[in-house]
């Protein structure tokens, strides 16, 4: 089949046939973004912060970051949160990471 013929055939396919594949691809992209966050985190965050805070998950645009103690949590939230959010959003996109939730863990 030529590309035009394939396009015509696929254009007539029911949405129920197409959606599972689309959803599967979206999940792959989400997992890819999650794995990229871990790698990018080390590159974009101050090494002192990265030594005490690590991303642990990305759920519906919220990046969850575990901080190893309350002193560093306070430092990050009080003085560095905005900078970290901006750097992560610049690297990953605002649609991928809308906000960051820091917690001791």
């Amino acid at each position: 089949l030529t590309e035009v013929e394939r396009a015509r055939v696929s254009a007539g396919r029911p949405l129920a046939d197409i959606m599972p594949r689309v959803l599967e691809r979206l999940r792959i992209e989400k997992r890819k973004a999650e794995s990229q966050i871990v790698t990018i985190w080390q590159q974009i965050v101050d090494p002192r912060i990265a030594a005490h805070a690590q991303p642990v998950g990305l759920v519906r645009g919220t990046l969850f970051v575990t901080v190893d103690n309350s002193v560093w949590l306070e430092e990050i939230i009080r003085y560095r949160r905005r900078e970290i959010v901006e750097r992560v959003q610049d690297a990953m996109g605002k649609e991928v990471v809308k906000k960051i939730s820091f917690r001791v863990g």
Side-chain angles (χ1 to χ4, degrees):
L1 294 175
T2 68
E3 277 192 36
V4 172
E5 290 171 328
R6 278 193 296 252
R8 286 185 184 146
V9 170
S10 67
R13 294 174 59 193
L15 187 59
D17 291 346
I18 298 168
M19 284 308 293
R21 192 177 318 158
V22 170
L23 292 174
E24 181 180 334
R25 287 184 181 159
L26 289 174
R27 287 187 198 108
I28 288 170
E29 289 303 312
K30 179 181 176 250
R31 289 183 186 141
K32 182 178 173 184
E34 287 175 355
S35 68
Q36 286 176 337
I37 286 278
V38 173
T39 304
I40 290 171
W41 182 263
Q42 300 300 324
Q43 298 168 0
I44 62 174
V45 174
D46 181 317
R48 292 172 295 168
I49 292 173
H52 297 280
Q54 291 296 312
V56 293
L58 180 61
V59 179
R60 291 187 292 275
T62 299
L63 176 63
F64 292 92
V65 176
T66 299
V67 183
D68 62 7
N69 64 62
S70 59
V71 174
W72 273 103
L73 178 66
E74 184 70 21
E75 169 77 15
I76 291 168
I77 290 174
R78 198 175 269 217
Y79 302 110
R80 307 295 294 273
R81 170 180 247 159
R82 181 170 289 156
E83 170 195 348
I84 293 169
V85 170
E86 288 173 0
R87 287 181 178 210
V88 170
Q89 287 179 335
D90 286 347
M92 298 298 300
K94 290 183 179 182
E95 68 284 347
V96 175
V97 178
K98 297 174 183 158
K99 64 182 182 175
I100 301 178
S101 174
F102 296 94
R103 58 185 173 207
V104 174

